[in-house]
Amino acid sequence: MPDEDRSLTDEEKKARKKADRERKRQEARDAAEKKKRFGLTPEKKRKLRLLIMKMATENLKGEQQRRLEARKNYIEQHLKPLDNLSSMSDAQLKSLCQELHSQLKSHEESRYDLEFKIRKQDYDVNELTIKINDIKGKFVKPSLKKVSKTEQKLNKIKKTKRG
């Protein structure tokens, strides 16, 4: 009798092991199937990357085109076309040159003023961020430059030889 109980338990153990293996295989299959349905295969990733790159290049081209159009519109609105210069007299040419020079001068002044204003604003923003960091107690650690130790040793050796 004890042999029958033992063989029965061995058979039960084998059946349980087999059932466990089968269950694990099924879970693995289910996980793989779920990954196929929802995960990205390498082929899908490649296609997605290509699609994103294509859209990005189209957006860049569109943005560049829009900038060119805006620039062209601005120039058309703010600059009047020149008349026929060959039909003008010397006095008219001289007055035209003076007028263009004054326009150029005023535009340069306004450009200089805007650049100065931007520089001042950048400085103010920098100062305010420094104040905020001081108040919060957070300090930006500067990134350190990696220096090779052998270079330093060679420089020291050179200095000692010279001195």
Side-chain angles (χ1 to χ4, degrees), residues 85-147:
L85 298 177
S86 59
S87 64
M88 291 184 170
S89 68
D90 287 344
Q92 290 174 330
L93 284 174
K94 192 174 183 180
S95 67
L96 178 66
C97 286
Q98 287 175 345
E99 182 184 327
L100 290 175
H101 185 268
S102 65
Q103 284 180 359
L104 180 67
K105 188 177 174 183
S106 67
H107 288 300
E108 284 294 318
E109 287 174 356
S110 63
R111 192 190 84 184
Y112 177 78
D113 292 341
L114 289 174
E115 285 178 355
F116 185 77
K117 188 185 279 187
I118 289 172
R119 255 187 268 133
K120 187 176 183 324
Q121 286 176 349
D122 286 344
Y123 177 78
D124 291 342
V125 167
N126 241 352
E127 290 297 311
L128 290 173
T129 52
I130 290 170
K131 282 183 183 179
I132 289 171
N133 287 336
D134 287 344
I135 291 169
K136 287 183 177 179
K138 293 181 181 179
F139 299 100
V140 179
K141 293 180 182 175
S143 58
L144 299 175
K145 200 165 80 173
K146 195 171 188 176
V147 179

Side-chain angles (χ1 to χ4, degrees), residues 7-143:
S7 67
L8 189 61
T9 56
D10 287 342
E11 287 176 19
E12 284 178 357
K13 287 180 183 177
K14 287 179 184 177
R16 284 183 184 164
K17 284 183 181 180
K18 188 175 183 181
D20 282 345
R21 274 191 246 129
E22 196 60 38
R23 183 179 48 80
K24 287 180 182 178
R25 285 183 188 157
Q26 186 62 36
E27 287 174 0
R29 281 189 217 121
D30 290 344
E33 189 176 314
K34 189 175 182 182
K35 189 175 182 181
K36 280 184 183 177
R37 275 188 272 152
F38 300 108
L40 290 175
T41 62
E43 181 66 22
K44 285 182 182 177
K45 283 182 184 178
R46 188 181 66 77
K47 286 182 180 178
L48 186 61
R49 252 188 241 120
L50 288 174
L51 191 73
I52 290 171
M53 289 299 290
K54 187 176 181 181
M55 285 178 60
T57 54
E58 287 174 3
N59 288 346
L60 283 174
K61 285 179 183 176
E63 181 68 22
Q64 191 176 25
Q65 193 76 328
R66 188 187 61 75
R67 284 183 183 169
L68 285 174
E69 287 294 322
R71 182 177 180 189
K72 191 175 185 181
N73 289 339
Y74 181 84
I75 289 173
E76 286 175 359
Q77 289 173 0
H78 289 83
L79 294 177
K80 61 181 181 182
L82 289 176
D83 296 331
N84 189 3
L85 298 177
S86 59
S87 64
M88 291 184 170
S89 68
D90 287 344
Q92 290 174 330
L93 284 174
K94 192 174 183 180
S95 67
L96 178 66
C97 286
Q98 287 175 345
E99 182 184 327
L100 290 175
H101 185 268
S102 65
Q103 284 180 359
L104 180 67
K105 188 177 174 183
S106 67
H107 288 300
E108 284 294 318
E109 287 174 356
S110 63
R111 192 190 84 184
Y112 177 78
D113 292 341
L114 289 174
E115 285 178 355
F116 185 77
K117 188 185 279 187
I118 289 172
R119 255 187 268 133
K120 187 176 183 324
Q121 286 176 349
D122 286 344
Y123 177 78
D124 291 342
V125 167
N126 241 352
E127 290 297 311
L128 290 173
T129 52
I130 290 170
K131 282 183 183 179
I132 289 171
N133 287 336
D134 287 344
I135 291 169
K136 287 183 177 179
K138 293 181 181 179
F139 299 100
V140 179
K141 293 180 182 175
S143 58

